Amino acid sequence: MYSDESDGERAELAKKQMAIAKWKEQSKRLRPKQHHVYVLSLEEVNHKLRDIEPISLGVFDSKEAAVAKSITVETNYGTFDEAVKDMFSDSYDYIDNRSDPPDNGILFQLGGEDDYGDLIRVMIHKHSVMSLEDPEVLANEKKRALKSDPESGGSKNPLQQKKQRTREDSSDQDSYSDY
């Protein structure tokens, strides 16, 4: 016979498996929205360790907001502009892409990629905002896609598609009138 502890462990395992199954099912409903966000991160590399430990600086609703935040980022050398003015003004050992910021890549960097000095950079990354779609909406999209596919017997003719949607909508209204 099993002890109470093993029954509890099995129940906990079953609960976790159910939760994982739920998340897997929901992952099938993830869809990108029409807008994006920009993630800003700071990477500081110590010349002795050469380890990159990125630090998240935030998530922004526009590239302009992310670049504005980058102006205030403090490094071991002060802000980027202070460091360039004080230490790197005579050298070409920095990158500044703030005037034409990329969607993904280096926004600015102090130091080079060699193994002799420190490296500090602010990275920007553009990401789609994802959302869970309603299962009914997904089912309707699949039906419409099948009906508009000529290989599956559907029609690509916009007039015929409109008539078909009108028939579908009126049949949907008939089914609602039963309630």
Side-chain angles (χ1 to χ4, degrees), residues 44-70:
E44 296 187 86
V45 181
N46 181 305
H47 72 281
K48 294 178 185 171
L49 302 176
R50 298 308 295 174
D51 289 333
I52 297 177
E53 295 188 27
I55 299 167
S56 176
L57 299 172
V59 178
F60 303 89
D61 65 351
S62 68
K63 189 187 301 187
E64 292 78 14
V67 173
K69 170 62 179 169
S70 74

Side-chain angles (χ1 to χ4, degrees), residues 35-39 63 102-105 124-128:
H35 55 277
H36 298 86
V37 293
Y38 291 85
V39 177
K63 189 187 301 187
D103 282 340
N104 296 294
I124 187 169
H125 296 281
K126 181 180 181 180
H127 296 279
S128 294

Side-chain angles (χ1 to χ4, degrees), residues 104-115:
N104 296 294
I106 297 172
L107 193 54
F108 62 79
Q109 174 177 307
L110 296 171
E113 297 283 344
D114 60 24
D115 292 333

Side-chain angles (χ1 to χ4, degrees), residues 96-173:
D96 187 354
N97 292 325
R98 293 177 297 174
S99 61
D100 186 20
D103 282 340
N104 296 294
I106 297 172
L107 193 54
F108 62 79
Q109 174 177 307
L110 296 171
E113 297 283 344
D114 60 24
D115 292 333
Y116 303 111
D118 292 346
L119 173 73
I120 299 171
R121 65 179 156 220
V122 171
M123 303 291 292
I124 187 169
H125 296 281
K126 181 180 181 180
H127 296 279
S128 294
V129 175
M130 303 297 282
S131 177
L132 289 175
E133 290 290 334
D134 182 12
E136 289 182 30
V137 171
L138 290 176
N140 289 337
E141 285 177 1
K142 286 181 184 177
K143 285 180 189 176
R144 285 191 176 137
L146 286 173
K147 289 178 182 175
S148 67
D149 183 12
E151 292 179 12
S152 67
S155 172
K156 289 239 180 211
N157 181 332
L159 187 56
Q160 288 177 341
Q161 286 178 347
K162 183 176 181 181
K163 287 179 184 177
Q164 181 65 32
R165 279 196 299 272
T166 304
R167 275 189 244 127
E168 288 172 4
D169 292 343
S170 65
S171 67
D172 286 346
Q173 289 174 355

